[in-house]
Amino acid sequence: MTTTGRTIKITVKDIPGYDKGKLIEIDGILDTLTSEDADKIIGPMIEKEKVIIADCSRLEYMNSSGLANLMRYYIQMKRRNGDFKMVALNKMLREIVDISGAM
């Protein structure tokens, strides 16, 4: 999906050997302009899945709005006794998440 010059691509895959969760690959930029696009894909998954693993290895940039989205997914999953994990964050994104104390 492209939003005013900013692009985010989210690919949803099955987790091999596990039928109660999904792997999502986030590629591009997660910010104010692309958060709505992410919500359209990830939002409905929150109610269906037990586990969501977000592969952030191709997430180039995330601002506070993008972080807020990921935190919201995490909180919603926890409320449902599910789990939302972020993996493969680059150094900059790991620092943002660590400093925020979000997850």
Side-chain angles (χ1 to χ4, degrees), residues 26-70:
I26 304 172
D27 188 354
I29 296 169
L30 184 57
D31 64 3
T32 308
L33 299 175
T34 61
S35 288
E36 187 177 319
D37 293 335
D39 278 343
K40 288 177 186 175
I41 296 168
I42 300 169
M45 293 173 57
I46 300 294
E47 295 300 318
K48 293 186 222 172
E49 304 301 334
K50 185 74 174 164
V51 174
I52 298 175
I53 300 172
D55 177 352
C56 300
S57 61
R58 291 187 296 273
L59 180 59
E60 299 167 23
Y61 173 80
M62 174 175 64
N63 69 4
S64 60
S65 178
L67 178 61
N69 268 32
L70 295 177

Side-chain angles (χ1 to χ4, degrees), residues 52-95:
I52 298 175
I53 300 172
D55 177 352
C56 300
S57 61
R58 291 187 296 273
L59 180 59
E60 299 167 23
Y61 173 80
M62 174 175 64
N63 69 4
S64 60
S65 178
L67 178 61
N69 268 32
L70 295 177
M71 288 174 52
R72 185 168 33 85
Y73 304 146
Y74 174 82
I75 291 166
Q76 289 173 337
M77 290 295 289
K78 285 295 180 193
R79 285 185 184 149
R80 296 185 54 252
N81 294 319
D83 206 3
F84 183 87
K85 300 272 189 203
M86 292 189 310
V87 298
L89 290 160
N90 67 34
K91 184 179 178 189
M92 178 188 72
L93 298 176
R94 170 57 53 203
E95 288 176 4

